[in-house]
């Protein structure tokens, strides 16, 4: 005789035992891995290529990735919220975000590491923080753009409802803004996490003052295998990375992505996706009890207490004082930012002046060549990924089936494929002037694909069903429904892909295979050569020129598309 589900769920089962053991194992692993981050600094310490150490190296790499992800999410919410609701701050924060996104992270990595290692001279913590910072810079900007764009496109009806119910900013944040932004936040975080594997690999084997620091991790294991030409270790590291990407997707991103679908804005209920891990957790009486008796009451109390505190302080003299302090603190931070930028900007100008007028004009000429490649990479990436993203995102089951594979190929560090393309270019006598474009696309087209999938997934099923009932199909469906509906997501994907393409010029415009080097004419190749030569005026000139190109294009092109998305093309 079949027993009621509720009765079965109340029983303590082997799943509960597995949950308890998993939690204990995670806590122990976190303590063990975290203790390793503060070990004494050992310059020149090598990575042991014995496969038995690989699980520990994977754990250290994942710890850095998730610390950077948490920091990126906090940064995105604070920065995006501030930029979205303060007109004065927006005029500074968004252009500054454009500059941050355009700055080539790898070009500044040596300087960042030098500064952080100096702060913690006898500990690995400085190098660890530098590695985490490199991963953070690869994740935070895209997530911030996605959150900022979501806040700006909240439907007017929802804002009016929040005003009618007199929600203060605290309640609005937890009951409207974060739920509305959940899907783009999750998809952008997923995409940024995938793209940051490349920077993690580059930052785990680093040089400081001509001495090598190897942080225990999968990237340093790979670098050591390449240095020793150990093909067995090289293949093993690639397989381990592939397995790690799959496990992270199955144990973390897939459940989170499915969970985020509950915040989809629609009137008709779609059958929710499921996942084997979520199904298993739902059968655990321990998890259900923890959720209903601990988490949910804590969440309600947290939101209600915070709302009362905000409302109480807003109406009191203390609240007015806090508001003034926050305002003064914001002004102070802005002035500090402006002062810092002005001082180091002045020193940068003095450095760049050493190049002379002819050298500076040459920077803009080289930047134009790189600009043309960025346009080609983004345009070709959009032509390929737009229809593919719509095809995958239109059907929830299809998106669920293909999502692990897409996450896998997007996560795989693109630079590992560069040698194969270089060999191909050499054999087919393809000039790097053209060959750099597909190399740039390898690492940037995923920004477009993920955003398109997120946009199509967020389209209300009501409208999809209405379009089907009315017989709207083919080009008419694309023109009047799909393209307007996903336009904000497409713009976000395009701007982040363009920023990624500018960064990719540094590694794609100069490639090598053995004694053969292929080089394109462009700003990326210029920065690469200047970095290798230690020519700081040229490095500064190249980075500033690239930043100017990105900011100008963002203001003249992408900003206008953002404005168009806000006022015309978003689902109300």
């Amino acid at each position: 005789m079949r027993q009621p589900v509720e009765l079965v769920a109340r029983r303590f089962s082997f799943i509960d035992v597995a949950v308890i053991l998993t939690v204990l194992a995670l806590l122990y692993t976190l303590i063990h891995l975290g203790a390793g981050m503060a070990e004494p600094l050992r310059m020149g310490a090598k990575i042991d290529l014995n496969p038995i150490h690989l699980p520990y190296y994977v754990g250290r790499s994942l710890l850095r990735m998730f610390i950077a992800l948490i920091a990126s999410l906090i940064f995105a919410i604070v920065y995006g919220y501030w930029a979205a609701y303060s007109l004065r701050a927006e005029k500074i924060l968004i252009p500054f975000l454009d500059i941050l996104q355009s700055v080539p992270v790898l070009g500044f990595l040596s300087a960042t590491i030098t500064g952080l290692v100096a702060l913690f001279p006898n500990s690995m913590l400085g190098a660890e923080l530098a590695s985490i910072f490199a991963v953070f810079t690869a994740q935070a900007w895209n997530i911030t753009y996605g959150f900022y764009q979501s806040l700006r496109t909240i439907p007017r009806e929802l804002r009016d409802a929040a005003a009618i119910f007199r929600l203060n900013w605290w309640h609005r944040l937890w009951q409207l803004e974060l739920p509305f932004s959940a899907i783009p936040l999750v998809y952008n975080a997923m995409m940024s996490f995938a793209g940051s594997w490349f920077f993690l690999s580059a930052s785990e084997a680093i040089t400081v003052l001509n001495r090598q620091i190897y942080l225990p991790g999968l990237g340093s294991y790979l670098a050591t295998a390449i240095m020793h030409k150990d093909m067995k270790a090289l293949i093993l590291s690639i397989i381990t990375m592939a397995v790690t990407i799959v496990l992270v997707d199955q144990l973390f991103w897939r459940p989170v992505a499915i969970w985020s679908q509950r915040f989809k804005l629609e009137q008709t209920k779609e059958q929710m996706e499921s996942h084997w891990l979520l199904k298993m957790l739902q059968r655990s009486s321990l998890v259900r009890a923890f959720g209903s008796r601990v988490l949910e009451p804590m969440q309600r109390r947290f939101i209600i207490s915070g709302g009362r505190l905000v409302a109480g302080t807003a109406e009191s003299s203390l609240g007015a004082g806090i508001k003034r302090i926050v305002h003064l603190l914001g002004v102070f931070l802005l002035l500090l930012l402006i002062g810092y930028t002005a001082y180091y900007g002045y020193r940068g100008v003095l450095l760049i002046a050493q190049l002379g007028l002819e050298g500076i004009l040459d920077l803009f000429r080289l930047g134009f060549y790189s600009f043309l490649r960025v346009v080609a990479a983004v345009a070709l990436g959009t032509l390929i990924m737009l229809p593919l993203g719509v095809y995958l995102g239109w059907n929830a089951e299809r998106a669920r089936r293909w999502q692990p594979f897409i996450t896998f190929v997007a996560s795989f560090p693109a630079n590992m494929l560069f040698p194969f393309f270089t060999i191909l270019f050499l054999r087919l006598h393809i000039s790097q002037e053209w060959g750099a474009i597909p190399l740039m696309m390898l690492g940037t087209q995923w920004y477009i694909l993920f955003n398109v999938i997120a946009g199509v997934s967020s389209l209300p099923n009501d409208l999809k069903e209405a379009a089907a009932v009315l017989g709207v199909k083919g080009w008419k469906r694309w023109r009047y429904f799909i393209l307007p509906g996903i336009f904000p997501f497409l713009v976000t994907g395009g701007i982040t892909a363009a920023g990624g393409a500018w960064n990719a010029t540094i590694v794609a415009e100069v490639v090598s295979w053995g004694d053969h080097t292929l080089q394109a004419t462009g700003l990326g190749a210029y920065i690469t050569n200047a970095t290798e030569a230690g020519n700081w005026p040229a490095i500064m000139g190249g980075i500033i020129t690239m930043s100017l190109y990105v900011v100008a294009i963002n203001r003249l092109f992408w900003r206008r598309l953002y404005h168009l998305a806000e006022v015309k093309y978003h689902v109300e």
Side-chain angles (χ1 to χ4, degrees):
M1 179 177 166
R2 189 175 180 180
Q3 294 175 298
V5 176
E6 292 78 6
L7 184 60
V8 174
R10 289 194 192 101
R11 291 179 176 175
F12 196 81
S13 65
F14 74 93
I15 296 178
D16 298 295
V17 177
V19 168
I20 293 173
L21 292 176
T22 303
V23 171
L24 291 176
L26 280 176
L27 288 175
Y28 173 79
T29 303
L30 279 175
I31 294 171
H32 181 58
L33 295 175
M37 296 179 77
E39 289 180 347
L41 180 63
R42 296 190 300 273
M43 291 284 188
K46 301 299 182 184
I47 296 296
D48 193 338
L49 293 180
N50 190 330
I52 198 171
H53 298 293
L54 267 174
Y56 178 72
Y57 294 153
V58 171
R60 290 290 294 271
S61 293
L62 284 176
L63 185 60
R64 293 183 195 106
M65 293 283 280
F66 278 101
I67 290 175
L69 177 65
I70 293 170
S72 299
L73 286 171
I74 295 172
F75 175 86
I77 291 172
V78 174
Y79 198 101
Y81 195 92
W82 191 12
Y85 289 107
S86 173
L87 290 177
R88 290 181 183 176
E90 183 189 26
K91 293 177 181 176
I92 297 175
L93 293 180
I94 296 304
F96 192 63
L97 191 63
D98 293 340
I99 295 173
L100 290 174
Q101 183 185 244
S102 66
V103 170
V105 177
L106 296 180
F108 273 110
L109 188 58
S110 297
T112 309
I113 292 168
T114 304
L116 288 171
V117 168
L119 281 177
F120 305 94
N122 300 316
S123 171
M124 293 291 285
L125 193 57
E128 291 282 357
L129 289 176
S131 176
I132 292 170
F133 180 75
V135 178
F136 168 84
T137 55
Q139 296 179 355
W141 319 142
N142 181 49
I143 301 174
T144 305
Y145 264 121
F147 185 64
Y148 165 77
Q149 183 260 332
S150 297
L151 293 179
R152 295 297 300 266
T153 55
I154 291 177
R156 190 179 301 109
E157 290 82 358
L158 293 179
R159 292 189 182 280
D160 292 343
I164 290 171
F165 287 109
R166 297 185 177 183
L167 299 185
N168 57 41
W169 70 266
W170 178 263
H171 284 143
R172 204 171 57 242
L173 175 67
W174 290 99
Q175 295 177 328
L176 171 61
E177 290 156 348
L178 284 179
F180 184 82
S181 308
I183 292 178
L185 260 181
V186 168
Y187 273 88
N188 279 297
M190 188 190 306
M191 172 185 57
S192 302
F193 191 91
S196 59
W197 278 108
F198 170 77
F199 294 93
L200 179 78
S201 303
S203 63
E204 285 182 343
I206 47 187
T207 302
V208 180
L209 303 176
N210 295 322
R211 289 185 295 179
Q212 286 283 333
I213 295 179
Y214 288 92
L215 298 173
L218 198 51
S220 56
Y221 186 93
L222 179 67
T224 307
I226 293 173
M227 185 173 63
H228 291 289
K229 297 181 180 178
D230 189 333
M231 186 57 69
K232 180 182 174 183
L234 181 65
I235 294 173
L236 195 58
S237 65
I238 293 174
I239 293 173
T240 304
M241 177 166 284
V243 172
T244 302
I245 292 170
V246 172
L247 287 177
V248 170
D249 175 74
Q250 284 297 306
L251 298 177
F252 183 74
W253 286 118
R254 283 301 302 157
V256 171
I258 292 173
W259 169 82
S260 70
Q261 294 298 314
R262 64 191 297 182
F263 301 108
K264 195 172 179 181
L265 186 65
E266 60 183 7
Q267 295 177 353
T268 57
K269 288 290 181 186
E270 182 189 14
Q271 187 175 2
M272 292 287 292
E273 288 183 68
S274 189
H275 185 262
W276 63 268
L277 182 60
L278 293 177
K279 286 181 180 176
M280 191 177 75
L281 291 177
Q282 286 168 356
R283 293 174 58 193
S284 167
S285 59
L286 194 64
V287 171
R288 290 165 67 93
F290 183 75
S292 61
R293 298 179 184 177
V294 180
L295 277 184
E296 291 179 8
M298 282 180 61
Q299 183 186 9
R300 283 197 297 272
R301 184 168 299 178
F302 177 71
I303 295 175
I304 292 173
S305 302
R308 287 175 179 168
L309 182 65
V310 169
T313 53
E315 296 170 357
S316 66
S317 57
L318 177 63
I322 292 175
K323 193 174 181 180
R324 274 198 300 274
I325 292 173
V326 170
H327 177 73
L328 290 175
L329 184 62
V331 172
F332 173 74
L333 288 175
L334 280 177
L335 290 176
L336 188 66
L337 180 65
I338 292 171
Y340 180 87
T341 306
Y343 175 71
Y344 284 99
Y346 172 71
R347 297 192 63 174
V349 168
L350 293 181
L351 267 178
I352 296 170
Q354 298 177 23
L355 297 174
L357 180 60
E358 188 177 347
I360 293 173
L361 292 176
D362 194 49
L363 285 174
F364 285 94
R365 181 185 65 84
L366 295 173
F368 183 71
Y369 288 123
S370 294
F371 163 72
L372 294 178
R373 291 193 188 92
V374 169
V375 171
V378 175
L380 289 173
T382 304
L383 283 176
I384 297 170
M385 293 302 164
L386 176 60
L388 180 61
V390 171
Y391 172 76
L392 294 176
W394 192 264
N395 184 293
E397 173 61 25
R398 187 185 300 143
R400 185 195 62 77
R401 197 166 55 246
W402 281 93
Q403 191 268 338
F405 176 74
I406 295 170
T407 305
F408 171 75
V409 295
S411 303
F412 207 82
N415 55 331
M416 296 181 71
L417 301 176
F418 281 13
F420 301 103
F421 278 85
T422 306
I423 294 170
L424 184 67
F425 296 160
L426 286 169
R427 290 188 176 179
L428 299 179
H429 303 289
I430 296 175
S431 170
Q432 192 61 15
E433 304 288 352
W434 298 101
I437 296 173
L439 296 185
M440 290 159 63
M441 290 174 61
L442 282 176
T444 59
Q445 59 189 333
W446 311 111
Y447 294 107
I448 302 170
L449 180 62
F450 272 104
N451 273 284
V452 170
I453 292 176
V456 176
S457 299
S458 66
L459 288 176
N461 280 325
D462 316 59
L463 294 181
K464 289 182 182 178
E465 292 170 3
V469 170
L470 295 173
V472 179
K473 56 179 68 174
W475 170 240
K476 187 180 289 185
R477 185 171 66 174
W478 275 86
R479 182 180 177 185
Y480 295 108
F481 180 41
I482 297 175
L483 289 177
I486 66 171
F487 190 73
F489 296 86
L490 192 58
V491 173
T492 301
I495 195 170
T496 47
W502 277 106
N503 268 301
T505 58
I506 295 176
V507 291
E509 287 185 346
V510 180
V511 291
S512 300
W513 176 249
D515 298 331
H516 299 280
T517 298
L518 297 176
Q519 181 167 319
T521 307
L523 199 54
Y526 180 88
I527 294 174
T528 300
N529 294 330
T531 303
E532 290 178 358
N535 186 345
W536 277 102
I539 294 172
M540 285 298 298
I543 291 172
I544 294 298
T545 306
M546 185 175 287
S547 301
L548 289 175
Y549 262 99
V550 174
V551 172
I553 295 164
N554 285 353
R555 302 303 297 179
L556 296 175
F557 181 69
W558 293 114
R559 259 327 107 211
R560 296 184 178 185
L561 291 185
Y562 256 132
H563 179 69
L564 195 63
E566 290 170 9
V567 300
K568 188 174 182 179
Y569 295 117
H570 66 276
V571 179
E572 293 279 358

